[in-house]
Amino acid sequence: MPYDLIVIGSGPGGYVCAIRAAQLGMKVAVVEKDKTFGGTCLNVGCIPSKALLHASELFDEAGHTFGKMGIKVGAPALDLPAMMKFKDEGVDGNVKGVAYLLKKNKVDAFQGVGRITAPGKIEVESANSKTETIETKNIVIATGSDVARLRGIDIDEKRIVSSTGALVLPKVPAKLLVVGAGVIGLELGSVWRRLGSQVHVVEFLDRILPGMDLDVAKSFQRILQKQGITFRLSSKVTAIDSSGPTLKASVEPAAGGAAETIEADVALIAIGRVPYTEGLGLEAAGVKLDDRKRVAVDAHFATSVPGIYAIGDVIAGPMLAHKAEDEGVAVAEIIAGHAGHVNYDVIPNVIYTFPEVASIGKSEEELKAAGVAYNTGKFPFTANGRAKVNLQTDGFVKILADAKTDRVLGVHILGPDAGNMIAEAAVAMEFGGSSEDIARTCHAHPTLTEAVKEAAMAVEKRSIHM
Ligand SMILES: Cc1cc2nc3c(=O)[nH]c(=O)nc-3n(C[C@H](O)[C@H](O)[C@H](O)COP(=O)(O)OP(=O)(O)OC[C@H]3O[C@@H](n4cnc5c(N)ncnc54)[C@H](O)[C@@H]3O)c2cc1C
């Protein structure tokens, strides 16, 4: 009996899709080439990076703010192997959780590299090169993404590392060069800065965090600089000489010009990620890619071949775990004949540094470019009672609302716990809410969320605490 659905890849897109499909009564299997389930996110992405961000943040606080609150602990000492063990145990617990959920939902698992040999046929090659062919009515490609590389620079995952190597460094590098001022570079740069590295970030563009609201990005850069991270914008790393005891990176102005040398002990290449379609047999199967080598899909996640769908990092859209998960649910529902849907206008984006950065919807630049008239309400954490008493006053909340209808079009939070607070904006926006809806919603005192309410009140210039 063929399966109703086989999902290739067990990341947040793939495993969530498999579980939802099983809930809907389908006979489901997943194919995963790695030893553990959970994909990039659980093994080498979201989960391990957040474990190190959490631990290093507490380490930083113990060294710098505990004393101010009357907690005397002396200078904290770093036990890096123990911190890595803490992270690894967190990863282990999470990947085992996925294995448990797949089993509980009666999803079969095949370990090996999956290749589509024809619509409805997948050949799985296991580590010992044994192959078997499994048959299915539908296929979902959820093979995710891989590290983007710089031409001429070999990632050895020891001294020249991707995010994967940066999560397992055996000692704190005295000097860390981060190539790329995107989310991953700034998160992992923050981890190693807190643990003692001198961190220098080189970015091709003239700003950090491309795509993020510029006002937020500029304020965030100032905060990171105050913390000790240095930046060289509008610059490109063209080569890294690793023949000597320290790395020598050649850095040129982005527009071209004389190269300078920057020395570092470790270089983190964090210039983005690329869709992963290697070995899947897509060309032979007739599955079309788009101009950026992502699997091309329609609004229902269907590829160019009937019965083959794709979701997550391997298709267009933000490379985020929760986007992949929502697509996993939607495609399972569509295959089952329901009306699965993802609202791409309401996908939060969070950077888990300190302070955190969280945004949803449109930036000011996007609204201006689209010619949309909007009102802005902004409220700083310096005026929020809870932030003040916690000594965490960097940042602000900014709400962008349609000038005519007051509908919330974008919310941007730079501040402590921004990643949790953005959920309120997501719900409001999903319901088509206005800034007045948020402003008239009672928020508990004293909480950081009052800054969201005050920013909403500021849209109509009636915030109380400013
Ligand atoms: C350091 C880092 C930090 C991140 N932090 C966050 C964060 O905080 N929040 C967030 O939302 N996102 C974060 N991301 C991004 C997030 O990890 C991805 O968006 C998410 O994992 C994409 O899910 P996916 O299911 O599409 O693919 P993946 O998670 O990449 O899973 C794809 C799976 O498919 C398997 N596979 C590939 N090809 C085959 C094949 N032919 N046969 C069998 N199996 C195959 C792979 O082994 C992998 O397990 C981070 C990424 C990195 C690298």
Side-chain angles (χ1 to χ4, degrees), residues 121-141:
K121 282 201 171 66
I122 294 174
E123 184 187 82
V124 182
E125 183 178 353
S126 58
N128 57 12
S129 299
K130 271 201 183 141
T131 59
E132 67 177 308
T133 296
I134 38 180
E135 297 197 11
T136 177
K137 292 179 193 154
N138 298 285
I139 295 172
V140 169
I141 301 167

Side-chain angles (χ1 to χ4, degrees), residues 9 13 32-34 39-41 45-46 50 114 143-144 313 319-322:
E32 172 54 59
K33 68 177 173 52
D34 287 349
T40 304
C41 176
C46 326
K50 265 78 262 180
T143 49
D313 277 11
M319 286 183 164
L320 293 168
H322 40 283

Side-chain angles (χ1 to χ4, degrees), residues 134 227 412 459:
I134 38 180
Q227 293 174 358
H412 304 273
V459 171

